[in-house]
Amino acid sequence: MACLIILCLFACQPDKENNAAFDYTELVNPLIGTHNMGHTYPGATVPFGMVQLSPATGFQSFHRDNKYNPDTYRYCSGYQYGDSLIFGFAHTHFSGTGHSDLGDFLLMPATGSVSLDPGYKPLSSGGWGSRFKHENETAQPAYYRVTLDDCPVTAELTASERVGMHRYTFCGTDTANLILDMMYNIYHHDSKNVWVFLRVENDTLVTGYRQTHGWARTRYMYFAMTFSKPISEYGCRKFDNPGYNGFYRKFDEQNNFPEMAGRNLRAWFRFDLQNAGQLQVKMALSAVSTDGALKNLKAEIPHWDFDKVRDQGRKKWNWELSKIEAAFNNRNDSIVFYSALYHTMLAPVVYEDADGSYRGLDQNIHTSEGFTNYTIFSLWDTYRAQHPLLNLLHPARNNDMIHSMLAHYDQSVHHMLPIWSHHSNENWCMIGYHAVSVIADAIVKGTTTIDKHKALRACVSTANVPYYDGIKYYASLGYVPEDKSSNSVSKTLEYAYNDWCIAQIALATGDQTVYLEYLERAKNYQNLFDPESGYMRPKLSDGKWRSEFDPLDTHGQGFIEGNALNYGLYTPHSVEQMIEMMGGKDLFAAHLDRIFEITLDDRYIEKNEDITRDGIIGAYVHGNEPGHHIPYLYNWTNKPWKTQERVRMIMRTMYANAPNGLCGNDDAGQMSAWYIFSALGFYPVCPGSTHYAIGSPLVNGAVIRLGNGKHLTIQTRNQGEKNVYLDRVLVNGKEIKRNHLTHDELAEGGEITFIMSSTPRL
């Protein structure tokens, strides 16, 4: 019997959003992450909140000896479970991305004399860091608590969308210090900070901003920080030589001077606790101005009731998590599922002030009209499953995200939709132009209010910028040549899929000319298939195959973060044709078997930090996104039961309720979205279509509260560890004879029944 019973939420008909009938936050473990790759941060945030307040446990500079430092990759989220030192709590983070930025405004409570020395060291070494133990650490949605052993201080964190709130309880002291580190960055380098500016407005309010130059080339973040106790004294220390300081040389800028500025500085503030033993801090963020930060503070947390903010955040999470009421055979499976669902709502994030003002891609201040502006679009990852999941559960938010993408296009001097964008910047990471996939998926599924004709213009413009990643050659030759643009096969395959998405948008608008043009461009993947080797492989600009070719190597073979064996199967819009090219269903199924069953030697992955043994099954790399559709491709062969077998095996081996429970970077929610879909029994192999490939559900049953107000019920009969195969699938009581579900079958609500078996249906 399931340990989590499907509850009567819908029968209860709660009057308010936050009145879910069961506390799903109890089933979330924010400490689930990875050992060797970027950990998801465990701190305090609300769903899709801009403030993501979390501990910093280690620091590695981006460069070492003037070269890239691979150890910095471990701290792309600022936190590693294996560390035993905390040196502060920062307010902005990414959730386990493959590259990083952010880490704004690090706060650290301290006692005794203040040390602002360079580096991050424990108190015993003259620093301000403190040791901690995991048994004294609590991480929950919207709440984080830890005991800092060396201070000693109990630190508690919570947040609203734009404000972080801290509560520090000091032991055995009447005087407390707070260090504000404006130098700390994630993926820091010597020129990361451009400028820092602070003002002590009065004895309880400090405002300021920081401009950084990192993955986001020109990034501003403003803050307003207020304290529950008055400041008794304060100061700062600069760690750069400005060369010119004008007539500020008149002042002692290090002590009790209310204006602080420089490229790298740390500030400290001292408080008389008056036997109270507790200090609370609120820090509001804005990308617009300190005035905007103050308005956000007043709009969201105008009081000092920490518990109220925590409870409000918890209710917000509970409401969002309750959109899927899933039942499992054991509590661990429930925790893995709801932790994954939690991860899918950490990004994208709201990126505007409470009054709708936001900093745009052009660095001007805009006002959103008719939508909420979002940022952090890790599109090479999230278009695959996370945005399709948002389309089902959060269509209004996903619609706002698409409006945000179109605003990006309006402000782009390149006249492009976002590629990988965050905090008013395009960082150009990865390949393809996958905003068109997100747009096409929403248009085809009827979940967006955007102007379809404008969207089509934006997509066509994006697909024809000649200086972007080999597009000039792709448009003229029908493929990206490896001698002109590296990772050429991956680019060609993804462009072809993106072009198919543009064709679907054109079809929806009735533009037959564009539809036919991009439907033809969508066939370009065929130009890189070598029938002699049986693989997609790199071709040169003269039309000849590049002679050096190893289909197992993930480096230098025309693919990014993958190889010809697996990434070569990336034609989600044209699976049948790909199978035909590769010799038919039986040979293709054998190719899939080889992917899962061969041993991939270390030399084939040693130059790729995104691919580690933790996420590999044979040569299938679940720890990285390009192959996430591969287990479902058996559905197009004569052996669909192997999809059921592989999918269930992946869920059982690649996800767990443990600090290393993810097999690779969560990449802003994609790794977790794969699990949510797969546990429910289906997966969107081709976003932009209305089909979901059927797999092997892990749930005993589920009720999904769809974003359109309808409810979808999933029932799984004969569920069990050995019963991974499908005997029959019923939609509203009627058996279907195909290996996919349609979007209408999901979005219209009703009931889907999976009848399981211990033997495959051959």
Side-chain angles (χ1 to χ4, degrees):
M1 183 176 179
C3 71
L4 172 63
I5 300 172
I6 297 180
L7 300 165
C8 61
L9 172 62
F10 307 119
C12 296
Q13 292 295 317
D15 295 328
K16 297 182 180 180
E17 279 192 352
N18 298 328
N19 288 341
F22 179 82
D23 190 354
Y24 290 88
T25 64
E26 294 289 344
L27 297 172
V28 174
N29 179 6
L31 291 169
I32 292 176
T34 58
H35 270 324
N36 299 319
M37 305 175 78
H39 201 293
T40 56
Y41 63 88
T45 188
V46 296
F48 307 100
M50 180 169 72
V51 167
Q52 301 186 332
L53 182 51
S54 186
T57 65
F59 177 82
Q60 289 285 336
S61 181
F62 190 75
H63 295 120
R64 180 188 293 160
D65 299 328
N66 296 318
K67 296 180 181 178
Y68 168 67
N69 172 17
D71 289 338
T72 195
Y73 190 41
R74 297 179 61 240
Y75 291 99
C76 67
S77 292
Y79 179 94
Q80 275 289 327
Y81 189 83
D83 290 343
S84 58
L85 184 75
I86 287 175
F87 54 84
F89 305 98
H91 291 74
T92 59
H93 293 86
F94 287 127
S95 179
T97 51
H99 197 77
S100 203
D101 202 344
L102 312 184
D104 294 300
F105 311 139
L106 188 80
L107 284 178
M108 183 65 179
T111 56
S113 60
V114 175
S115 172
L116 299 179
D117 288 340
Y120 298 96
K121 299 174 290 186
L123 285 170
S124 58
S125 302
W128 68 72
S130 176
R131 292 167 293 180
F132 76 104
K133 303 179 184 68
H134 288 300
E135 54 263 36
N136 296 325
E137 182 184 37
T138 299
Q140 300 170 346
Y143 180 67
Y144 178 85
R145 180 182 186 275
V146 67
T147 299
L148 302 174
D149 295 335
D150 293 333
C151 295
V153 175
T154 297
E156 297 174 275
L157 313 175
T158 190
S160 62
E161 281 77 5
R162 300 169 181 87
V163 185
M165 191 169 186
H166 309 235
R167 181 164 67 185
Y168 300 122
T169 303
F170 294 81
C171 181
T173 181
D174 293 331
T175 303
N177 300 317
L178 190 67
I179 296 168
L180 172 60
D181 184 0
M182 300 292 283
M183 294 171 60
Y184 172 75
N185 284 288
I186 296 175
Y187 276 34
H188 185 75
H189 52 82
D190 288 344
S191 58
K192 183 75 177 278
N193 271 13
V194 177
W195 197 247
V196 167
F197 180 74
L198 301 178
R199 285 163 52 103
V200 180
E201 305 282 359
N202 55 51
D203 63 359
T204 59
L205 176 64
V206 178
T207 63
Y209 78 90
R210 179 170 73 169
Q211 180 188 352
T212 58
H213 168 70
W215 201 18
R217 185 172 62 176
T218 305
R219 191 174 72 90
Y220 293 86
M221 187 57 72
Y222 297 82
F223 74 87
M225 178 172 59
T226 186
F227 311 106
S228 62
K229 300 286 185 182
I231 304 166
S232 59
E233 55 182 320
Y234 60 91
C236 75
R237 182 176 172 187
K238 298 182 183 181
F239 293 85
D240 54 80
N241 182 2
Y244 174 75
N245 199 33
F247 289 92
Y248 275 88
R249 63 181 180 269
K250 294 180 178 181
F251 305 104
D252 175 9
E253 294 183 70
Q254 293 194 68
N255 296 287
N256 297 312
F257 188 70
E259 190 178 29
M260 313 173 198
R263 193 167 66 86
N264 292 301
L265 65 83
R266 291 175 176 137
W268 59 272
F269 305 91
R270 185 162 292 140
F271 304 87
D272 182 358
L273 300 180
Q274 299 174 339
N275 299 317
Q278 198 170 86
L279 174 68
Q280 294 192 88
V281 185
K282 294 183 290 187
M283 179 174 279
L285 302 188
S286 168
V288 174
S289 65
T290 55
D291 184 58
L294 280 166
K295 290 177 180 177
N296 292 338
L297 180 64
K298 293 175 183 177
E300 294 186 0
I301 311 181
H303 54 78
W304 286 103
D305 191 336
F306 181 95
D307 294 334
K308 179 180 179 180
V309 177
R310 180 191 60 196
D311 292 345
Q312 287 174 337
R314 191 182 184 98
K315 287 178 181 178
K316 289 176 183 178
W317 274 115
N318 198 36
W319 175 249
E320 300 295 356
L321 293 166
S322 71
K323 288 182 175 178
I324 304 180
E325 297 182 350
F328 295 87
N329 281 330
N330 60 74
R331 186 175 176 83
N332 260 348
D333 285 347
S334 296
I335 291 173
V336 172
F337 182 88
Y338 281 99
S339 298
L341 188 59
Y342 168 85
H343 284 152
T344 67
M345 292 183 272
L346 295 178
V349 303
V350 171
Y351 190 66
E352 65 174 28
D353 288 348
D355 64 2
S357 301
Y358 69 94
R359 183 176 297 274
L361 187 67
D362 55 6
Q363 299 301 317
N364 292 318
I365 305 306
H366 301 262
T367 301
S368 62
E369 296 182 5
F371 72 100
T372 298
N373 190 60
Y374 283 79
T375 191
I376 303 182
F377 292 118
S378 180
L379 289 166
W380 184 78
D381 308 295
T382 57
Y383 82 88
R384 304 168 194 269
Q386 192 206 15
H387 279 284
L389 185 64
L390 296 179
N391 244 342
L392 285 173
L393 301 181
H394 312 276
R397 286 190 190 268
N398 198 58
N399 185 47
D400 283 347
M401 292 169 192
I402 293 173
H403 277 284
S404 303
M405 294 177 192
L406 290 173
H408 176 114
Y409 164 76
D410 288 337
Q411 298 155 16
S412 168
V413 72
H414 308 284
H415 309 294
M416 292 183 71
L417 291 160
I419 302 300
W420 204 129
S421 63
H422 73 282
H423 285 223
S424 308
N425 280 260
E426 175 59 76
N427 65 48
W428 303 109
C429 186
M430 303 312 292
I431 61 173
Y433 30 90
H434 293 297
V436 307
S437 171
V438 177
I439 294 170
D441 200 51
I443 287 176
V444 167
K445 293 171 181 173
T447 62
T448 181
T449 63
I450 59 171
D451 180 338
K452 297 181 181 65
H453 295 278
K454 177 181 178 179
L456 180 61
R457 291 193 299 272
C459 293
V460 169
S461 176
T462 302
N464 287 283
V465 175
Y467 47 82
Y468 171 67
D469 259 4
I471 287 291
K472 175 175 68 174
Y473 304 102
Y474 175 81
S476 61
L477 299 175
Y479 64 93
V480 177
E482 182 68 16
D483 54 329
K484 300 297 183 180
S485 186
S486 61
N487 306 314
S488 60
V489 186
S490 292
K491 291 174 183 175
T492 300
L493 298 182
E494 297 202 15
Y495 291 159
Y497 161 68
N498 291 153
D499 289 343
W500 179 85
C501 290
I502 294 175
Q504 308 315 300
I505 299 171
L507 185 64
T509 64
D511 193 325
Q512 191 72 4
T513 300
V514 174
Y515 171 71
L516 293 175
E517 177 186 353
Y518 281 83
L519 204 60
E520 190 64 27
R521 278 178 52 145
K523 300 176 184 177
N524 281 342
Y525 69 91
Q526 299 174 8
N527 296 327
L528 292 187
F529 181 73
D530 174 18
E532 185 174 336
S533 69
Y535 290 101
M536 300 285 182
R537 62 181 294 188
K539 186 180 283 186
L540 305 178
S541 56
D542 61 6
K544 297 178 181 178
W545 299 114
R546 201 188 71 169
S547 57
E548 302 85 9
F549 177 63
D550 186 338
L552 297 183
D553 201 344
T554 63
H555 178 75
Q557 299 296 318
F559 296 89
I560 186 169
E561 299 183 9
N563 60 25
L565 184 67
N566 50 44
Y567 209 145
L569 305 187
Y570 191 76
T571 62
H573 61 295
S574 191
V575 177
E576 294 91 344
Q577 289 76 10
M578 176 183 63
I579 291 174
E580 184 179 343
M581 286 192 314
M582 296 183 68
K585 293 182 178 181
D586 291 339
L587 286 177
F588 185 74
H591 182 95
L592 294 177
D593 287 343
R594 183 170 182 241
I595 291 174
F596 284 99
E597 294 170 2
I598 71 168
T599 299
L600 195 63
D601 193 89
D602 284 344
R603 62 191 171 95
Y604 291 126
I605 62 173
E606 62 185 2
K607 296 181 180 179
N608 199 318
E609 66 181 353
D610 291 281
I611 299 176
T612 68
R613 285 292 168 197
D614 293 336
I616 294 179
I617 302 169
Y620 170 68
V621 184
H622 192 73
N624 208 16
E625 281 71 24
H628 275 187
H629 67 300
I630 288 177
Y632 287 91
L633 294 182
Y634 286 105
N635 277 335
W636 280 262
T637 74
N638 295 317
K639 299 179 178 179
W641 58 270
K642 287 197 172 183
T643 278
Q644 300 151 28
E645 188 178 82
R646 304 292 191 198
V647 166
R648 183 68 73 92
M649 177 264 294
I650 293 167
M651 284 190 281
R652 280 295 180 225
T653 58
M654 298 283 105
Y655 298 84
N657 178 22
N660 61 344
L662 287 174
C663 64
N665 282 326
D666 197 51
D667 281 316
Q670 167 58 25
M671 191 72 63
S672 293
W674 185 97
Y675 184 87
I676 295 299
F677 270 119
S678 296
L680 294 173
F682 47 91
Y683 184 79
V685 166
C686 183
S689 79
T690 57
H691 291 181
Y692 299 80
I694 294 174
S696 177
L698 189 62
V699 297
N700 284 341
V703 177
I704 304 173
R705 177 162 48 88
L706 300 167
N708 61 8
K710 298 181 180 181
H711 306 145
L712 174 67
T713 299
I714 294 174
Q715 291 191 8
T716 308
R717 299 180 189 169
N718 304 328
Q719 180 64 281
E721 287 302 306
K722 295 182 179 179
N723 294 355
V724 304
Y725 303 105
L726 289 174
D727 182 64
R728 285 177 295 155
V729 179
L730 310 178
V731 176
N732 294 322
K734 183 178 179 180
E735 184 176 358
I736 62 171
K737 300 290 187 178
R738 45 182 158 83
N739 297 325
H740 68 268
L741 299 169
T742 68
H743 183 71
D744 284 346
E745 288 168 342
L746 303 183
E748 289 302 314
E751 184 174 285
I752 297 172
T753 304
F754 298 102
I755 302 174
M756 311 303 292
S757 172
S758 61
T759 57
R761 188 173 180 179
L762 303 177

